[in-house]
Structures are given as structure tokens and as C-alpha cells.
């Protein structure tokens, strides 16, 4: 005699069965100040004293960045491709940066320009020779428009590229995170370089320009 697994007057747990095939939802990002849920294209605040980047809703970004003590600075959203940027190989070599990618921003707390480059260990600071940077700044007056702390010059000279951008600081944090999370072995591996190429392709599109072709075979790194 067969037994009915469903008790009398009770429907099968259809939704319970379906839930087994539904992937759990990823937790949404939250505002670091008020904990409200954030969308993917949210605002950011930067605290110069700690060099900390905070995710923020628009209300908190406006409120806290407008305070008199200026503890936080709102990170702008503008992106600019610097097509006419002038930087010779000799000038680049004089900066003493060991890789072909770097980020330059003005530290208002220490009152100096900082040079950082991404690495598998995170962002690494390079000692910036004052004379070398002064020459580059003189040749490129557009750098005077760069907002202290929250904007940066992003240089990409990896694998034959010559790309220069004025970017909000959160873009560089994103680039550092890609490299830190995806780096494998000595050269990084093809996966991380695909991610980096996609990052710069998206940056070019956001700046309104054509995506430059990759001059080197994908996955080969000579940073």
C-alpha cells in the first residue's frame, strides 16, 4: 500500500522546492554614514586625514562635504582623457616608478604631491623627485585644475600604451583592488590583465572617446 507523503488538507511546499534553485542575493552596499542601501553608481567621500574612502548616499555626501570643518571631501564624478598630455620617456624614467602605471594626487595634509602605483600588495608609494614632477606640471597646465586629495592623474604606459586621465580617486582604488584580488604568479596571469584592459576600455568610453586597441597580446605583462 503506497503512502502519500503530503498530509491530508496540506498542499506540497512548492515555494520551498523553488527556493533551493534560487541563488542567494548578494548583500547590497550601504552608506558608510547612515547605512541606507546604495545603488551601483553612488557617491563617495574622502577623509584626507586618514586617506579613507567612504561610500555615501547623495544626502550624506552633500551634508558632510559641506561642513565647515571639511573633515570629508566629496569625490567628484568627472572623468577626462588627456589626449594632449605631454610626457616623454625620459621624464617618466626620472620619476623613478618601477612599473608602467601610476597615480598622482596632491596630499593636502602633508602638502605635497604623492605618486602611487598598483601592485599585488595594494597601492605602493614611490618617492617623487620634486624636480621631475615640476617639469611635467609645467609642460601640462591642465594639472592645475586637479582637485587636491579627491582627483588624480592616472598614467597607463603598460605594454606600449600611452594613456593619461584625470579621474576621481575612487577609480584608482578600484584599479588597485582589481590587481590585488586577481594577481596570480609573477606576471599576474591573463585573467587579471583582461580585467585591467576592461577597466581602461570602460574609462575610455566614459570619457567619450574610442577604445584604443591593445598593442600587446592579451595576457602578456611587462609592467
Amino acid at each position: 500500500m503506497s503512502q502519500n507523503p503530503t498530509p491530508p488538507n496540506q498542499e506540497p511546499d512548492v515555494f520551498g522546492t523553488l527556493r533551493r534553485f534560487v541563488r542567494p542575493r548578494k548583500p547590497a552596499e550601504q552608506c558608510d554614514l547612515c547605512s541606507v542601501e546604495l545603488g551601483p553608481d553612488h557617491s563617495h567621500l574622502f577623509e584626507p586625514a586618514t586617506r579613507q574612502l567612504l561610500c555615501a548616499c547623495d544626502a550624506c555626501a552633500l551634508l558632510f562635504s559641506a561642513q565647515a570643518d571639511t573633515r570629508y571631501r566629496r569625490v567628484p564624478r568627472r572623468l577626462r582623457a588627456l589626449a594632449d598630455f605631454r610626457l616623454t620617456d625620459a621624464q617618466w624614467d626620472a620619476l623613478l616608478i618601477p612599473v608602467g602605471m601610476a597615480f598622482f594626487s596632491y596630499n593636502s595634509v602633508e602638502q605635497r604631491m604623492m605618486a602611487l602605483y598598483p601592485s599585488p600588495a595594494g597601492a605602493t608609494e614611490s618617492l617623487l623627485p620634486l624636480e621631475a614632477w615640476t617639469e611635467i606640471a609645467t609642460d601640462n597646465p591642465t594639472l592645475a585644475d586637479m582637485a587636491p586629495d579627491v582627483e588624480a592623474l592616472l598614467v597607463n604606459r603598460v605594454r606600449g600604451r600611452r594613456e593619461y586621465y584625470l579621474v576621481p580617486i575612487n577609480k584608482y582604488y578600484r584599479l588597485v583592488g582589481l590587481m590585488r584580488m586577481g594577481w596570480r604568479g609573477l606576471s599576474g596571469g591573463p585573467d587579471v590583465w583582461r580585467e585591467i584592459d576592461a577597466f581602461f576600455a570602460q574609462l575610455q568610453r566614459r570619457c567619450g572617446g574610442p577604445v584604443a586597441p591593445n598593442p600587446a597580446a592579451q595576457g602578456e605583462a611587462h609592467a
Side-chain angles (χ1 to χ4, degrees), residues 31-32 39-40 51 54 61 68 71 78 92 101 108-109 116 128 139 155 157 167 180 190 198 205 208 211:
C31 175
D32 288 325
R51 308 296 297 173
L54 304 176
R71 176 182 176 183
R78 69 170 178 170
W92 176 255
M101 193 181 297
S108 65
V109 175
L116 301 168
L128 184 62
D139 289 344
V155 175
R157 294 169 62 93
V167 300
R180 187 174 183 180
R205 284 191 291 267
V211 176

Side-chain angles (χ1 to χ4, degrees), residues 190-203:
D191 291 341
V192 72
W193 286 106
R194 276 192 291 268
E195 291 285 343
I196 293 171
D197 287 340
F199 171 89
F200 279 102
Q202 183 184 50
L203 200 59

